[in-house]
Structure formats: C-alpha cells, structure tokens
Amino acid sequence: MFARFLAFAFVIIVAAALAVLAWPQVFGLATAPIVAQAVSLRGLAVAVGIVLVLALTLVALIAAPTRRFAASLAILLLVFCAVNTVVLATRGFGNLGFESATDSSITVLTWNTLGDAPAPEVIAKLALDTGAEVIALPETTFETGKAVADLLAASGAPMSLFTVPYDQISKARSTTLLISESLGDYEVNVGERTTRVLPSVVATPADGQGPTIVAVHAVAPIPGEMANWRADLQWLVGACAGDNVILAGDFNSTIDHYGGLATTEGATIGNCFDSALATDNGAVGTWPTRLPAILGAPIDRIMVTANWRTSGMRVIESHDGYGSDHRPVLAQLTPAD
C-alpha cells in the first residue's frame, strides 16, 4: 500500500513538473531558475521525451509489477511531447523563402562569433553573399570588426563600424555593429551602459531619418546572472519603445520568456515583432551548433517595429564548422504598406 502511495505521489509530481515545463507562462515561471533554461530547448525536450516514452513502454510490457506505474509515466511524457510539438509547429520549423528585395528593403545579418572565432574573411564573405547591410556581431572585438569592414570596403560595400567594449579582457564583452554607408550616417554613444553584463550597441541616424538599429547581447540566464538577465529583458522593452527600430543579436532568450513584455498589441517585446515568428522560423534553433537546429534553442533573433515587414528570414546552418557555437541569422526587411 505504501509503495502504491509513493508511486502515485511520484506520478503527480512528474505531472506537475511537466506541466510547468510545457507551458510555464501559465504558472508565471517562465523566467524562474531551471525553468528558464529548460523551456529554451523544447525540441531537445521532445527528443528526450520520446526516448523515455519508448523505454517506459518497454518496461511496462516486460515487467508486470511496474506496468501501471511505467505506463502512467509514459502517457504523461507522451502528452508533454505532443504539447511541445504543437507549440513548436505553431512557431514554425523553417521557411527559407525570400520575396524579391525592393530598393527600400534592408538585409540584416547577426552572428555571435564566440569571441572572434570565425575569421574576418568568413564573416565578410557571408555578409557579401547575403547582401547584408546591417551586421550585428556580439562577442566581436573592434579589431575583427575593422578587418571585416576593410574587406567589405575593398569589395565595394563600405560600412560604418561601431564597437562597444565593456572591458578589454574578455572578447565576449565587446559587441560590434556594421551599418552600410548607403543607409546614411549613424551615431553611437560608445560610453553608454546598455545591457548590464554584455554590451549592446544602439545606433541612431544622425539626421533623424531611418531606423534606430540595436545590436543586442543580453546575458545568459545562468546561475548568478538571473537578476541581470531579467533586467536585460526589461532593457529590451525600452530599446524597442520607438516606432522605427531594428533589433538584432543574441537575445539569450526565447519566445517563452517574453510574456507581459509587449507594449503593442501582437508584438513580441516592446513595440517589436519577431522576424522568426512572422516567417514560420520560430522553432529553428540557433544555439548550440553541436545540436541539430530543430533541437537547439532559438536565442539569436531579429525584431522590428510595425513599420517593417519581414519578407524573408532564415537560420544559416552552413557555417556550423567555423568556430562559433551560434548560427548566423539573416532577415530581409521591407517597409510595411
């Protein structure tokens, strides 16, 4: 009898835990420790869950004394996998289609380079191949940014270069932003403190015409940084408080973490709308590269205000072998009608 009670209690605890992990927003726990990290990897959770369902089903078939217990856990995990699969499907497993660019379209590329890991030649070639006019490079130093800018200029694509370092010790504490000179002159207050631990770069048009462009690098939700991570999410709300803003970079967060942070109806965070969600790419993981994209966390993002429409977006999987643990993300933005 006592063993049955323990088994029942365990099943109830597992059911509660899976409910929280499947939809933490309902319980107000999306930004809580452990939950915040776990919900970022929904695809991986489904894969692990399916393996456990198969294992528990096998146990239920061959071990009669534990059949009810194992079957109960298998059913709970099957429901958990189904819910997560539906969530991922609504966000999109990938759509590589791009509309034809117009003269007023802007192509945005972001790539966390893991401290200058990819060579400047690799970054520059990717920018040229994709026609990127805005390049947000978290964890990228001025030296690498300058080398990329020089290569692009030599290829007929001159860029304005902005780097904000919080120190000169760790390359992760530098963020670089390149903006095509064809978009006009931009200004950056390099001494301004933005996101708390890792710098973001806020570039504003010198003549007041054109979008404010923000290269984002929020800190990861790791032990010891949870308060700073939540503060960075709040900072992003303010960064997208205008009516003509482009955010691109490593947000170290997913759609699940943005509950209550939108200030415009239907927006993702602040006044900004997520390009991946808008193009059915919201479930495609950008980190880490050692996992298939469908199993990874979609934490590298591009977001825009309502005056822009995402007319194409993709996570670039062809550059997994160039040293970074993040995948580049590309989006084509077209002025909304």
Side-chain angles (χ1 to χ4, degrees), residues 45 71 94 100 150 183 192 258 264 269 275 282 293 337:
S100 298
D150 289 344
L183 299 180
E192 179 185 9
Y258 303 142
T264 296
I269 190 167
S275 291
D337 294 331

Side-chain angles (χ1 to χ4, degrees), residues 141-336:
T141 62
F142 172 82
E143 289 74 19
T144 293
K146 179 67 163 58
V148 172
D150 289 344
L151 289 167
L152 292 174
S155 299
M159 297 271 180
S160 299
L161 168 65
F162 306 100
T163 299
V164 175
Y166 275 176
D167 62 43
Q168 301 296 333
I169 299 171
S170 171
K171 291 182 178 181
R173 288 172 61 81
S174 288
T175 297
T176 290
L177 174 62
L178 296 165
I179 302 175
S180 173
E181 291 184 1
S182 65
L183 299 180
D185 294 331
Y186 272 78
E187 299 174 341
V188 170
N189 182 354
V190 295
E192 179 185 9
R193 196 81 181 184
T194 52
T195 34
R196 285 196 175 184
V197 179
L198 305 167
S200 296
V201 182
V202 181
T204 55
D207 61 0
Q209 303 297 313
T212 294
I213 300 172
V214 184
V216 174
H217 197 186
V219 73
I222 58 177
E225 296 291 359
M226 293 300 295
N228 287 327
W229 174 68
R230 295 187 194 101
D232 283 354
L233 295 186
Q234 291 294 334
W235 182 86
L236 289 170
V237 176
C240 203
D243 56 8
N244 190 5
V245 182
I246 297 171
L247 306 181
D250 180 2
F251 287 61
N252 266 314
S253 50
T254 71
I255 298 301
D256 292 293
H257 300 124
Y258 303 142
L261 296 182
T263 53
T264 296
E265 184 177 355
T268 306
I269 190 167
N271 292 340
C272 281
F273 298 77
D274 185 69
S275 291
L277 280 181
T279 55
D280 294 326
N281 287 285
V284 184
T286 64
W287 175 92
T289 53
R290 65 178 178 272
L291 289 177
I294 195 61
L295 301 183
I299 60 174
D300 300 271
R301 326 194 67 84
I302 296 169
M303 296 191 189
V304 294
T305 43
N307 62 306
W308 293 100
R309 180 176 59 85
T310 303
S311 51
M313 183 268 178
R314 65 186 172 100
V315 175
I316 299 172
E317 301 180 48
S318 59
H319 283 55
D320 287 0
Y322 286 101
S324 177
D325 57 348
H326 290 251
R327 295 185 175 95
V329 175
L330 181 75
Q332 178 181 283
L333 310 177
T334 301

Side-chain angles (χ1 to χ4, degrees), residues 117-138:
E121 292 79 7
V122 172
I123 301 171
K125 185 177 187 306
L126 179 61
L128 289 169
D129 289 346
T130 57
E133 296 155 286
V134 174
I135 309 169
L137 300 171

Side-chain angles (χ1 to χ4, degrees), residues 10 18 102 141 167 208 270:
F10 185 77
L18 292 177
T102 68
T141 62
D167 62 43

